[in-house]
Amino acid sequence: MAPRNDGAGKRGMNRGAWTSEEDRKLAQCIQTHGAKKWKALALKSGLNRCGKSCRLRWLNYLRPNIKRGNISDEEEDLILRLHKLLGNRWSLIAGRLPGRTDNEIKNYWNSHLCKKVNQKEEKPESSTTQEIIGQNENATLEKEVAVNESGNIDVNFDVDEFFNFSSEETNGFDWLNKYLELDHIPDPETTKNL
DNA sequence: AACAGCCACAACCGCCTTAGT
DNA sequence: GACTAAGGCGGTTGTGGCTGT
């Protein structure tokens, strides 16, 4: 594919922080036309922004039901465990945290959790009670996910169900109880049929 | 009060994937 | 199947605010 200029800030596009007026225009336009065809939306809204920039702004800040800041201990613990499970798959991790965006989780990881994890690895002997609990939960997770010889991840639970956000269980942390219960270790005979 | 350094977060960039033709 | 445009994602950077000196 030929190189493509799909970035913002070229061809005289607006860049940088969004103003409240821009937010308002974008939200209004999305209300009218829906959150799709971002390039067309960017033109229709009259904003001198690229489609990508509009999409990012909507998904991360303007979308309804977005939670901002105040990541709870429960959410933090979940992020830690999901990151251990999935790696830097921020969109997947965000999908299991209702109201959180991949960008927010990524930022939170890079500015808070990354350091915490590094400190833990440097001082594994100084585990707190909570950390020990977390480790037990990770052990449960690790039983469900194994890396095969070729380096691919073998998942012993239903991935489609795990990442199916349409069910009502995605509200709150109900789904978590199902998959991550402390004492729940999936029976290999049962899970292999999933 | 002024400055420097650090931190947190919003936004951009570039690559990859997907959809349309 | 090949090509192109758009969407999606993760990595990275820029900058404003906070804190320490």
Side-chain angles (χ1 to χ4, degrees):
Chain A
M1 200 194 293
R4 189 163 43 84
N5 177 10
D6 54 1
K10 290 157 188 174
R11 300 185 301 268
M13 288 281 188
N14 277 355
R15 298 181 62 186
W18 282 66
T19 64
S20 53
E21 176 66 13
E22 285 178 310
D23 285 345
R24 193 187 56 76
K25 279 185 183 175
L26 180 61
Q28 204 167 33
C29 197
I30 287 171
Q31 203 168 22
T32 309
H33 300 99
K36 54 190 175 183
K37 307 232 177 192
W38 292 105
K39 196 173 181 180
L41 258 180
L43 290 170
K44 282 173 185 164
S45 66
L47 297 167
N48 194 22
R49 298 269 187 177
C50 70
K52 272 187 165 185
S53 184
C54 293
R55 174 184 164 272
L56 201 68
R57 185 66 185 171
W58 171 254
L59 291 179
N60 289 338
Y61 305 98
L62 301 179
R63 204 161 42 122
N65 305 322
I66 290 261
K67 277 192 241 170
R68 306 295 313 285
N70 297 326
I71 290 182
S72 66
D73 290 345
E74 199 176 18
E75 286 176 307
E76 182 180 307
D77 183 53
L78 184 54
I79 293 167
L80 281 166
R81 283 183 282 124
L82 285 171
H83 184 269
K84 184 160 188 171
L85 179 68
L86 300 166
N88 295 356
R89 308 283 295 278
W90 306 116
S91 60
L92 290 180
I93 295 171
R96 304 310 308 185
L97 288 151
R100 299 294 183 187
T101 69
D102 55 352
N103 206 35
E104 185 178 18
I105 291 169
K106 181 170 60 177
N107 282 331
Y108 189 72
W109 176 269
N110 287 332
S111 55
H112 296 88
L113 302 182
C114 199
K115 285 174 211 161
K116 266 193 189 178
V117 168
N118 288 339
Q119 280 171 6
K120 247 194 236 180
E121 283 172 359
E122 283 171 19
K123 297 179 187 176
E125 72 282 3
S126 62
S127 299
T128 63
T129 308
Q130 197 178 3
E131 284 167 345
I132 290 165
I133 291 169
Q135 282 161 13
N136 287 340
E137 288 179 342
N138 285 335
T140 305
L141 280 171
E142 281 155 9
K143 284 193 171 67
E144 294 175 351
V145 179
V147 178
N148 67 20
E149 286 174 5
S150 60
N152 296 323
I153 295 174
D154 290 331
V155 183
N156 295 331
F157 52 82
D158 190 330
V159 177
D160 289 338
E161 192 179 349
F162 188 80
F163 293 112
N164 175 13
F165 312 135
S166 60
S167 83
E168 290 178 4
E169 288 178 11
T170 57
N171 293 329
F173 295 95
D174 291 349
W175 67 275
L176 187 60
N177 297 328
K178 181 173 177 182
Y179 290 104
L180 306 179
E181 271 179 7
L182 261 177
D183 298 320
H184 171 69
I185 297 170
D187 176 1
E189 287 305 308
T190 311
T191 54
K192 78 179 179 186
N193 295 323
L194 290 174

